[in-house]
Amino acid sequence: MEMNLETRVNQMAESLREQGLRLTPQRLAILGVLLSNRAHPTAEQIYEQVHKDFPTTSLATVYKTMLVLKETGHVVELGFNDGSNRYDVVTEPHAHLICVNCKSILDPEVEGVGQFTQKIIEMHGYKLVNQRLDIFGICPECQALLSK
Ligand code: ZN
Ligand code: MN
């Protein structure tokens, strides 16, 4: 069941406070943007949204906050070859469906991604460090645009 945004922001804020992070209004706004944006935003996109309400926020503040959130396990950073890093608040194992044309990233609703990884890991006696399942394609909207 999907928790409401305020609850999720409060939970994340509380967990960050417990870890000794000072939560400024800017940082709370960053959490709000991050938790309400399911499109896996870039740091720049988060910055643009937060900047509307908090004009004193800098891109550096966003980067610093994202680093803390990453280090404390609240977000996953998805790095790409072209340097366009994206952020994900869903930290449980899941796949990504990525459009190579418009760069949209969605979380397909399929079960068993974690079990799939676990099976492979156990089969080869590995200890899991990290996992990522990216599927690249062209989304239906881009297919329609490109065929015109
Ligand atoms: Zn697309
Ligand atoms: Mn995701």
Side-chain angles (χ1 to χ4, degrees), residues 4 10 14 20 29 32 37 42 47 53 59 61 70 83 91 93 98-99 101 114 125 130 136 139 143:
N4 76 50
N10 288 339
E14 193 181 322
N37 186 336
T42 64
Y47 164 74
D53 293 325
L59 186 56
T61 303
K70 200 173 82 175
T91 55
I98 303 164
C99 177
N101 189 55
N130 198 359
F136 294 92
C139 74
Q143 286 178 53

Side-chain angles (χ1 to χ4, degrees), residues 75-91:
V75 299
V76 173
E77 185 176 17
L78 303 169
F80 291 96
N81 290 340
D82 61 0
S84 61
N85 290 9
R86 311 271 290 258
Y87 294 97
D88 196 346
V89 282
V90 180
T91 55

Side-chain angles (χ1 to χ4, degrees), residues 12 16 31 34 65-75:
M12 200 188 262
L16 287 165
L31 298 187
L34 197 61
T65 305
M66 297 318 293
L67 188 65
V68 174
L69 292 176
K70 200 173 82 175
E71 284 172 353
T72 52
H74 290 90
V75 299

